[in-house]
Amino acid sequence: MKKQVSQTISACSFNINQISRFLPRPTKERVVNAIITSRLDYCNALLCGTSAINIARLHRIQNTAARLIMRSPRSDSVTPLLREVHWLPIVCRVDFKLALFIYKAMRNDAPVYLCELVCPYQPTRTPRSANNNMLEVKRTRTTAEDCSFAVAAASLWNNLLMVIKTCGNLTSFKRLLKTHFFRIAY
């Protein structure tokens, strides 16, 4: 994934600092969303299980974008800025995308190849957790297998709150999921 991350970073590199002081904040937010955020979110589900170095490199780009929008110096902490622009950290963005794929796959709104990877948990006997909307997590032997969609997404789904998993429509699911990850991150 190192090459993918490097390409994403190079695509996000731009020099908007020179004109940013002339732009109002809403315009800067639109430009940053068009140039940076869209590229950080593109295929970011593939980053599940990638190294901490790759995540840190992408997080630096996100921090720079937040500082640009808020006109904050580099010496200031970026956490309050990310909270103010309401952005999730990169790891939470990846988890958000995985959970979204699982939600769609469980409702047959995803491509068939993703729906086939989602296996509802069916215990041999009926415990109290039988109706918890759980997914079967396949046993793995390597860390590379742990990063596969079937394993990583199922583990993530099983750790979500029941209120989020049983949400009726996609819009409210996204809202609850983002709120959940936002509380975890900040």
Side-chain angles (χ1 to χ4, degrees), residues 14 33 120 134 136 138 148 159 173:
F14 66 104
N33 280 332
M134 305 281 278
E136 182 180 334
K138 296 180 171 83
S148 70
N159 290 327
F173 174 77

Side-chain angles (χ1 to χ4, degrees), residues 101-102 105 110-118 149:
F101 284 152
I102 285 288
V112 176
Y113 61 88
L114 285 181
C115 294
E116 290 172 352
L117 295 174
V118 175
F149 176 79

